[in-house]
Amino acid sequence: ASGGLEKWTGRPSTMRRGLAEVKRMYYEALLARYSVEVATESRQTFDQLLQFNVTRFQEGAIPEVDLIKVRLERVKFDSSARQAELGLRQATIRLIEKLGASVSFSQRVTGELNFRALSLDLNSIREFAVTERTDVLAAMAEVTAANERLALERGRSKTDLSPFAGYKRVGDD
């Protein structure tokens, strides 16, 4: 499959980086959606707490100052919910623009965040990188070529002594 991508793009690492960027943006949008859900749930829970305190105030169990404090705290929950919604819109817009589609606020990011623990050892990751990643293979080829150039230059740095025995005639002698 990667051979076809290399022919199509000419640069498999560019394609890999672009795909990784789209995946990152998708997960940011998905996380923003979950943040909206959590903020909405928190606001609903706080509404129940506010209603409970209103009832307690009406019964005379708490002073009006405490009720005012609880109402002011609700403003913080409303603000965080609006902030989460804004974050979701921004993440969705960035993802849609990266994909090159037209922006529409009716579009919704779907999917699930399923986390699972991975146990990877460093040796298996290195082995995978050495055999699969073209940029790592190219870097290794450059290191090999540099070592060979270094050996050649070290060989050139030593003078080549060649003994000579014989006689030479100079002038009449």
Side-chain angles (χ1 to χ4, degrees), residues 9 17 23 29 36 53 66 76 80 96 103 125 135 145 173:
T9 62
R17 280 193 296 267
K23 285 180 180 180
V36 168
N53 281 320
D66 289 345
K76 290 180 184 178
S80 68
I96 290 171
V103 176
I125 294 172
D135 53 341
D173 294 336

Side-chain angles (χ1 to χ4, degrees), residues 113-128:
L113 286 176
N114 296 324
F115 297 105
R116 55 189 158 110
L118 295 177
S119 60
L120 300 174
D121 64 318
L122 189 57
N123 291 331
S124 66
I125 294 172
R126 283 185 183 152
E127 183 179 316
F128 175 78

Side-chain angles (χ1 to χ4, degrees), residues 168-173:
K168 188 174 186 182
R169 191 171 188 172
V170 180
D172 289 339
D173 294 336

Side-chain angles (χ1 to χ4, degrees), residues 11-82:
R11 293 184 172 255
S13 62
T14 303
M15 181 65 139
R16 184 175 29 254
R17 280 193 296 267
L19 188 59
E21 183 73 11
V22 169
K23 285 180 180 180
R24 184 187 60 79
M25 289 179 165
Y26 167 74
Y27 283 117
E28 283 178 359
L30 195 59
L31 187 60
R33 190 190 85 204
Y34 277 102
S35 295
V36 168
E37 291 173 5
V38 168
T40 302
E41 185 179 318
S42 296
R43 185 173 44 187
Q44 290 170 349
T45 302
F46 198 81
D47 284 344
Q48 292 172 354
L49 179 66
L50 178 63
Q51 187 60 39
F52 175 71
N53 281 320
V54 166
T55 304
R56 288 179 62 205
F57 169 71
Q58 289 171 349
E59 291 176 355
I62 61 170
E64 187 176 11
V65 174
D66 289 345
L67 181 61
I68 292 171
K69 287 179 184 178
V70 172
R71 285 184 177 155
L72 287 174
E73 285 295 318
R74 187 180 189 288
V75 173
K76 290 180 184 178
F77 280 92
D78 290 340
S79 175
S80 68
R82 282 192 300 272

